[in-house]
Amino acid sequence: MKRLAALLLILLMVLTLASCSKKSEPLASLDIPKKEEVAPYRLSEKELQLLRAFAIDINGNAQVFSFKTPKGTKAVEVNAYALSRDFKWESIGGTTVSANDEVPVEQQGGLLSMVLGENYAIDFSLSFGNCTFYFKSDEIESQAVPMVSYKAYLPEAQEIEFNREIPVALLVYDSGTSMRSYVPGDYSDPSKFEGMDLVQAVTLRFLDKEFTPPAQ
């Protein structure tokens, strides 16, 4: 698990992400979609070689997604969920970045990276323009010891539709000995995960209106 935590840092180094800076555009040379869509980021052979030099093998425990925000985007939202026993998605973390003078999100290329950590926590970085934001989902206490798991990530580019969540990752764990396969689109039908011990989901959403935090 310590190696997985280090992987996030190495991935960020590989992809040259940086904190907000008006002097550079670290994403300009990366493989960002030309269209207004979200897609799995394809690591180059050079990037893969650098990871191998650190004796790091991703093996489905880390993923990077690239996107281009549509014209009119006011905020970018990342949500992480865990499935409750009554088949409802419950928030376990996330972030929303709203447009402002320092962070213009409209018509920007960006990256979302995620690395699975200890106790089912997920480390994230969200980067677009010349800014990067880091956050982590909640840890989850599970009584069952997972014997099998299935990790499904967004397999191909998907067009962005304002205010609609795009599932980019599904993480399924169970103490049994076998498991069916899943796709990120199964997020819309939680009943498909009946009998599984733990299910997590990660979604991206692009908003065309100002983000308003929920009332406390």
Side-chain angles (χ1 to χ4, degrees):
M1 290 301 182
K2 291 182 179 179
R3 177 165 290 184
L4 288 177
L7 175 59
L8 176 62
L9 179 59
I10 294 170
L11 279 173
L12 298 182
M13 292 168 58
V14 169
L15 299 175
T16 64
L17 303 184
S19 297
C20 290
S21 170
K22 296 182 179 179
K23 298 181 180 180
S24 63
E25 294 185 7
L27 299 181
S29 62
L30 300 181
D31 184 19
I32 301 299
K34 305 299 182 184
K35 299 179 180 180
E36 298 171 347
E37 59 188 17
V38 179
Y41 183 85
R42 308 300 183 185
L43 291 170
S44 68
E45 183 58 32
K46 181 179 179 180
E47 293 163 345
L48 289 171
Q49 287 178 355
L50 181 56
L51 291 177
R52 295 188 193 108
F54 283 89
I56 300 287
D57 185 6
I58 294 179
N59 280 333
N61 290 315
Q63 191 69 31
V64 183
F65 307 96
S66 59
F67 58 84
K68 181 178 180 181
T69 56
K71 183 178 181 180
T73 301
K74 300 299 184 183
V76 179
E77 180 182 271
V78 182
N79 287 300
Y81 299 101
L83 191 62
S84 68
R85 293 300 179 186
D86 57 352
F87 301 108
K88 294 182 180 179
W89 293 110
E90 297 182 343
S91 175
I92 56 171
T95 193
T96 300
V97 178
S98 296
N100 56 52
D101 292 338
E102 186 175 348
V103 188
V105 300
E106 182 177 300
Q107 293 283 274
Q108 290 282 344
L111 295 174
L112 171 67
S113 69
M114 54 178 286
V115 177
L116 310 187
E118 296 182 345
N119 297 324
Y120 307 102
I122 307 172
D123 289 292
F124 293 96
S125 72
L126 175 63
S127 181
F128 49 90
N130 51 9
C131 294
T132 300
F133 303 86
Y134 304 95
F135 53 103
K136 183 176 182 178
S137 69
D138 299 337
E139 295 185 357
I140 297 175
E141 297 294 334
S142 178
Q143 301 298 323
V145 178
M147 300 296 291
V148 291
S149 64
Y150 192 91
K151 302 175 181 68
Y153 298 107
L154 183 71
E156 58 187 6
Q158 184 168 336
E159 185 177 354
I160 294 171
E161 180 181 330
F162 275 131
N163 309 314
R164 181 178 66 85
E165 286 189 295
I166 300 174
V168 297
L170 276 176
L171 313 169
V172 188
Y173 304 89
D174 193 60
S175 55
T177 58
S178 63
M179 182 182 294
R180 55 157 288 187
S181 61
Y182 296 96
V183 296
D186 291 333
Y187 168 80
S188 62
D189 186 5
S191 64
K192 289 187 176 182
F193 305 105
E194 184 175 4
M196 297 295 99
D197 291 329
L198 174 63
V199 184
Q200 295 170 287
V202 178
T203 68
L204 260 172
R205 185 162 66 157
F206 301 84
L207 307 177
D208 62 354
K209 53 189 175 183
E210 298 294 336
F211 172 72
T212 303
Q216 298 293 326

